[in-house]
Every structure is written in structure tokens, then in C-alpha cells.
Amino acid sequence: MGPSGKSARGASLVPRMKTRHRLCYAALFSLLLLGLLSSGLLQFWPRENAVDVGDAPHVTRSPRDVADLPRVQLALEMPTPERGDMSCRMHTCFDVYRCGHNMRRRIKVYVYPPAHYVDARGVTVAHGFSREFNDLLSAISESEFYTDQPARACLLLPSVDMLSQQHLRLKETGQLLAQMHSWKRGSNHLLFNMLPGSVPDYNTALDVPRDRAFVAGGGFSTWTYRPGFDISIPVFSPFSEEVDLPHRPPGRRTWLIVSAQTNIHEEFREQLQTLEARYNEEVLLLERCVGLPPGRDSARTRCHGDHIYNYPEILQESSFCVVLRCARLGQPALSDALQAGCIPVILADSYILPFSEVLDWKRTAVVLAEDKLPEICTILKAISQRQIEDMQRQARFFWERYFSSMKVIALTTLHIINERIFPYAAHSYEHWNSPPEVCWRGVMNPLFLPLEPARARGFTAVVLTYDRLDSLLRVVTEIARTPSLAKVLVVWNNQNKDPPPRYLRKLWTDPDEILWTGTVWPRLNVPLRVVQTQENKLSNRFFPYEEIETEAVLAIDDDIIMLTPDELQFGYEVWREFPDRLVGYPGRLHLWDHETGKWKYESEWTNEVSMVLTGAAFYHKYFNYLYTYKMPGDIKAWVDNHMNCEDIAMNFLVTNMTGKPPIKVTPRKKFKCPECTAQDGLSLDQTHMVERSECINKFVSVFGMMPLRSVEHRADPVLYKDDFPEKLKSFPNIGSL
């Protein structure tokens, strides 16, 4: 459709409808506008009912006349769908074959036309749309995902407003869904809900009977969330549209902690009052205002004694904002805190954070158990100012991209589903979590974040090679057997010879027979990329190539063919626990030689290690940027000129930055290439040890000290040497001494 056609769709509820409906919709929206002017803004949930919703500002509903829509009457004995199968997963309750009608790696979404649904007695079942649901449908209808052909749709979205369960007739709404023409027990149907449950139980998932439909819900707990199937979405805050908070750069704020939620549990309030009394200059506890002067909106104000604060503006004056569970787990206070650039401190046990499938919440929020509330000040004061500023910046980024409107909430949900269907076209961890600011500064620095297992998708193996093709192909084949491998990047350092083509050529009559030795690459289940460098430099292995999309990088030589998939996988798991360390296999040591008065490089087996060689080592890709752009002095040039010691230079760099020694994994003693001759192997040169010692002394002179640290430590898997059956061991194939 051309530009004029797209413009014609405009803000219509469901675009590209048939011509006979257009006048109907024009009249419909005229009535909608009239209803807003005459009746004011109705509420999406009550403002004063503390038992019902907790701290939730009002959300407008846009009542409209449904009489002009096609009338659909539910039969008296119409069957009711099952409540919802908790065992559903994408591979059991989702028909992926519906999603293969296009080659653009993009799902298509069909939106059912709206209708006037009534029960057997003629009583309306589904009333008018809220403004939020109307915005959601409009965003999907105007997006690249939309299709008006249900037979070609991967997802189907009922035009039934279920954002707030308290306005629903549960059984009748389920019957309404079941009569839709493509329902088929709810398979491939997506339902949006932000306020699940109702008084007195407040279930954390939508109670509408829905068969196999999956839910984008705003209050899931670990008990009701189906991992990899349902999607946890934010509870939309109407202040996103009503309040335009000025940009405030990261930095120190007036308050350490502000609690601005109302209707929180009395036990929580007593604990907060105790904290406020103890930390009077750092903790601000706000209440709902009473007896406000005319013209002041209680939803837009908070009070502390007689002092009135504007809300949510007051949140910008605090470094941390408390987000507690109220009657429901999901709270709009989380969105308000992010909009203000205030780091949310979330105390809501079992809460599934919004879009946690792709968002790394430890980068922007502090998540604590509810019983840690009395210790909150001690915990938060231990966070460095540098980390606070990083988290403040990240909070605003999360809000702008994923929380700021119903449009971004809807489209983020569809993008997540799209990546489930087409995982090979999924966005990287950095795309979801890193602000698109400065090129390499946008890469996560592992030194200023909580050291928890990384959320990135596996690791990228970077294989440096020159002209050992047979050995290279064997290495690539062995690495590909590692479960967590995400991509293979071959750095081809030979400018006089082109690498083999990056596709597989079928040479025999049997289509499954692939020639892989000598001329073509092996068949892999992960992407393989080849980069041909412009100069033959060892530092090329540490260049921050844009093809590296994971946090973890495995640097490996083209002759390291002896590592098993278990050893590689275990090394990656160790790195996930220590992402600021070099984690590798061949260990080396630096020693002080009293006779020469210089440092000496030692490769013999000892009880200590101070280096791991990057011929087989995991590290965070952040260090690629430091090595390329921030290496002290002329070390990088020295390495390139001498064609040696790039691994020692990386050990110096990482240990100097972190103050921590590397970690050696697995007990394999020697690393040799069985096929390599003395002419092939650099490490077999007679002068190799002398040159390596010279490198250490050169680097010490540049750094002005010896940053390397020795450690008597090696990481081995649990049960490694215990006499247990191999099937009980997670990594049974680990080499022995």
C-alpha cells in the first residue's frame, strides 16, 4: 500500500476494513469524543479503594455506543472454554506452522473486527473500549505485523478489552472468545491484560476461561506465569501521557529513598516509618493528600505532613524509589519511577518483571525480598555512585523504549513473540538492553554491575587463523558441539589468500553428503561469519567486531582441537559467574629472576597461575574495546611488531582493570596440536620463552608496576573426581591429569 493508503488508515481502530464500515467508525468516534466531553474521564480502576487496587492512578475509559456494531448473540448453552492450561508452552499449545506464510522473518497479526456481544437475554457482554485498549489496537493495526487475512495470520487478537478484569463478566467473556471463527481452543490467540484478578482473591493471572490462548499480562507471579509462553508486560501509567517530566541527567539527588505509593499494607508502612525516623535526612515517606485546596488533583500530589509535593515530579529528587506489592503484584509505580530516572527498588516476592524474557533488570533495578525492607538503607548505601548513575541512565532508557505508551508495550510484546518464532533473526542482548549512545561506550562494563550470571545468549567463538585450513575446520566442527555456542567468527589473517566461500557446496548425488575438508565449511546449527583482515596482526583477534553480539567471547586458536564440548561449556558456565575475569585453559606464571633482576615467563606445571592464554579463554567483549582503544603506551604496537605476546597483554589489561587474577578451568595439563610441526607452531620456537619474558618486562615498564596476580586456584565441576555414575555429572567428559 502506498503512502496515501497508509495515511488514510490513520487512527482508525482496525485499518483496512471494508468500505461499508467506514461511516460506522466515523460516527463511532464522534460519539466517543462526545462521551468524553459530557461525562469526563471515567476510571479504569477505582482511585479510593485501597483493598481493590493498591497504588494505581486512574486510567481513562472511553465509553462508546456499541449499538451500531454488528450484533452477536451468545447461545444460552454455548460451551465455555477451559480456564487455561498451565502446562502450555510454545511447542505444545502454539501452531508454529501458521507463521510460515512470509519470508520476511516477521509474524503477522490479525485483529478481529469489533462487535456488539450480548448474552442470550440480550444483555451486553463486552462494553466499550478503554482509551488504552484502543491505543493498543491502533498500534498493532498500523504496524508491520498487521494482516487483514486471518488465514495468513500467525497471531489472532480478539477485539475484546480485557485490560482490567474487574469490568469483565468472566464466563460470558470466555464464551464470547470460543465463538470466534478461528478460535480452535485458543491456539495462537493473544490476550492483553494489565489488572488480573478481582476482590477478594486478586489472582495474578487473567481469570477469563481461555483454553490455550496465551496472555500478555501485567501482574504475573511465578505460580501463574508460563515461562516461554506468557509475556509479562508493564502496568501502564497514565502519567506517561499526562506528565512531561523534564530530562534530568544522572547524578546525586536530594533523597536516597522516596516511597510515594499509597494504599500499601500497614506492615510495610510501619517498617518505612521506622526507616524514616532513623534516616530522617535520606528517606522520604509520602502519603495520599487529604483536604487539598480547590484545583489540586489528589492523584497528582503526595503529602508529608503539611508539605505538598507534585507527583510524579518528586521522584526525580531521589536516587531510589520503593516499589512494593499492593493488592496486585504489578504496579504503575514501577513505570513512574523509570520515567523519573529513579532506580526502582522492587519488593514484591514472586513478581515476574515486565519483559524479563529480554530485559536485564539487574542493570536498572534493585530487586529484594520483601523481608529485606528493614535493611534497605544499608543495602543501597553499599552501591557506588558510578553504578547509581549507570542505573539511573538505564532506567530512563527502559521507560522510553518499553514503558512510555501503549504503542511501545504492544509492539515490544509482538517483537518478543516474533523472536520466539524466528530465533535466528532475534535481536542481540545489547539491542534490548543498551542505550544507542556512543559506539563502544554503550557496551556493558562488567566492572560496575552486580556480578550475576549473564543474560546474554551464549558466547561467540572468535577463531584466529592464517593458513591452517584443515585444522581450522576441525576446530570449528568441535566448537559447534558446545550447547551455548551462539556464533562462530573466523578472523582470517592472511591477506594473500582468500578464505573458502562461506556456503556449503553439494558435490555428490546424495544431497546430505557435504564436502567439508579443504574447500568448504562444515554444516553448523549456528551462524558462521568470516572476516578477512587488512594486515596480519595478532591484535586482530581482539578487535571489537560488530559481528560479536554476545557478552561472552571465546578466543581460540586454530590448532586447539583437544578441548571437548563439556570442557568448553563448563568454561563458559564459570565465566558467567565471573564475567569480569579471564577464564581459560592453559595456565602460565610470571616469576622474579633474582639472578637477572628481571621478570621471567614460566610455562611449566606449577601450583600457581597468574595468566591464562587467550589461545583458549573466555572474556567479556568489553575488554576488546579497551585493548583496541585504551591499551596503555605502545603495547599494542609492540605486540603487532613482534608478532607475539597479545595474550600476555590482555592478561595485563584485565588484571590491571579489575585487580583480580584469572581463573583456570579444567585440569588438562598440556595444549598441543598433534598435526603441527616445529615450523607451524610459534610456541615451539627456541627463542619463544626469551621473547615472552621480554614482553613481560616491557609491559611492566609501560604500566609502571606488575599488575599480574598469582593464585593457587583451579575451577573444576562438581562431582568431577567423585565416584558417581557419569549420568549424574553435568560435565562428564572433562580431561584428566
Side-chain angles (χ1 to χ4, degrees), residues 190-240:
L190 175 63
L191 311 178
F192 280 90
N193 168 252
M194 284 187 179
L195 298 180
S198 56
V199 64
D201 297 328
Y202 291 104
N203 186 25
T204 57
L206 180 67
D207 288 323
V208 171
R210 57 184 186 275
D211 280 334
R212 295 184 172 184
F214 58 112
V215 179
F220 281 118
S221 73
T222 53
W223 296 98
T224 56
Y225 177 70
R226 295 170 290 184
F229 191 66
D230 294 323
I231 298 176
S232 181
I233 64 174
V235 177
F236 179 70
S237 173
F239 295 136
S240 299

Side-chain angles (χ1 to χ4, degrees), residues 30 69 111 117 166 228 239 345 405-406 409 443 449 457 487 519 543 547 583 615 624 647 667 674 690 721:
S30 297
L69 294 177
V111 180
Y117 296 99
Q166 68 187 46
F239 295 136
V345 184
S405 68
M406 290 302 300
I409 293 173
V443 177
L449 293 173
R457 298 184 179 92
K487 180 185 289 187
T519 58
F543 187 80
E547 287 82 1
V583 177
N624 278 347
D647 47 2
V690 175
K721 300 192 73 175

Side-chain angles (χ1 to χ4, degrees), residues 306-373:
D306 296 331
H307 195 98
I308 301 175
Y309 295 90
N310 292 327
Y311 182 86
E313 288 84 350
I314 181 57
L315 302 183
Q316 287 191 309
E317 302 300 323
S318 179
S319 296
F320 298 94
C321 293
V322 176
V323 180
L324 291 161
R325 75 155 69 221
C326 292
R328 293 183 172 94
L329 277 175
Q331 291 292 312
L334 175 59
S335 179
D336 294 338
L338 295 175
Q339 183 182 11
C342 183
I343 302 169
V345 184
I346 303 171
L347 300 101
D349 293 350
S350 78
Y351 179 38
I352 302 297
L353 288 168
F355 302 135
S356 54
E357 186 172 336
V358 294
L359 300 188
D360 189 353
W361 278 96
K362 70 176 183 289
R363 297 183 63 169
T364 194
V366 179
V367 182
L368 301 174
E370 293 174 3
D371 60 6
K372 294 292 184 181
L373 181 57

Side-chain angles (χ1 to χ4, degrees), residues 590-601 693 697:
H590 73 288
L591 295 171
W592 180 255
D593 189 336
H594 292 280
E595 293 183 3
T596 62
K598 294 182 179 180
W599 294 102
K600 183 176 68 172
Y601 176 84
S693 297
N697 287 284

Side-chain angles (χ1 to χ4, degrees), residues 491-508:
V491 179
W492 190 270
N493 233 12
N494 189 342
Q495 291 76 44
N496 300 318
K497 179 180 179 181
D498 290 333
R502 286 178 291 175
Y503 54 85
L504 298 173
R505 291 187 289 160
K506 300 181 180 181
L507 302 181
W508 294 289

Side-chain angles (χ1 to χ4, degrees), residues 238-479:
F239 295 136
S240 299
E241 297 176 347
E242 296 178 5
V243 179
D244 184 17
L245 293 180
H247 174 69
R248 177 156 185 178
R252 297 187 181 276
R253 306 287 170 87
T254 304
W255 303 95
L256 174 68
I257 305 171
V258 163
S259 173
Q261 287 177 272
T262 59
N263 299 327
I264 61 177
H265 193 278
E266 187 60 32
E267 181 180 352
F268 289 152
R269 184 162 300 282
E270 290 175 358
Q271 293 174 345
L272 288 170
Q273 289 171 344
T274 301
L275 287 171
E276 184 182 39
R278 181 178 179 183
Y279 302 95
N280 186 44
E281 300 298 323
E282 298 176 294
V283 177
L284 178 63
L285 177 58
L286 300 176
E287 308 273 358
R288 184 185 297 276
C289 297
V290 294
L292 287 172
R296 298 296 296 270
D297 183 0
S298 62
R300 288 291 312 278
T301 56
R302 295 291 187 271
C303 286
H304 184 271
D306 296 331
H307 195 98
I308 301 175
Y309 295 90
N310 292 327
Y311 182 86
E313 288 84 350
I314 181 57
L315 302 183
Q316 287 191 309
E317 302 300 323
S318 179
S319 296
F320 298 94
C321 293
V322 176
V323 180
L324 291 161
R325 75 155 69 221
C326 292
R328 293 183 172 94
L329 277 175
Q331 291 292 312
L334 175 59
S335 179
D336 294 338
L338 295 175
Q339 183 182 11
C342 183
I343 302 169
V345 184
I346 303 171
L347 300 101
D349 293 350
S350 78
Y351 179 38
I352 302 297
L353 288 168
F355 302 135
S356 54
E357 186 172 336
V358 294
L359 300 188
D360 189 353
W361 278 96
K362 70 176 183 289
R363 297 183 63 169
T364 194
V366 179
V367 182
L368 301 174
E370 293 174 3
D371 60 6
K372 294 292 184 181
L373 181 57
E375 307 169 36
I376 189 172
C377 289
T378 303
I379 294 172
L380 299 182
K381 284 185 176 183
I383 302 176
S384 68
Q385 183 61 30
R386 172 69 178 272
Q387 184 175 335
I388 288 175
E389 293 177 7
D390 286 345
M391 297 176 78
Q392 289 171 338
R393 188 178 298 108
Q394 189 76 11
R396 182 71 182 187
F397 166 68
F398 271 17
W399 178 81
E400 290 176 350
R401 180 172 283 190
Y402 307 115
F403 283 70
S404 57
S405 68
M406 290 302 300
K407 177 179 179 180
V408 300
I409 293 173
L411 296 186
T412 300
T413 301
L414 296 186
H415 277 293
I416 291 174
I417 298 173
N418 191 81
E419 295 194 356
R420 294 177 182 175
I421 307 302
F422 303 106
Y424 54 87
H427 289 111
S428 66
Y429 170 91
E430 282 74 20
H431 171 87
W432 286 106
N433 292 282
S434 296
E437 297 170 348
V438 185
C439 176
W440 75 272
R441 290 189 62 207
V443 177
M444 184 179 68
N445 184 341
L447 308 182
F448 301 107
L449 293 173
L451 297 182
E452 300 176 10
R455 291 288 305 277
R457 298 184 179 92
F459 65 90
T460 300
V462 178
V463 188
L464 182 69
T465 188
Y466 185 80
D467 195 19
R468 287 197 290 232
L469 188 57
D470 289 342
S471 177
L472 168 66
L473 295 176
R474 289 189 61 184
V475 169
V476 171
T477 302
E478 290 300 315
I479 295 173

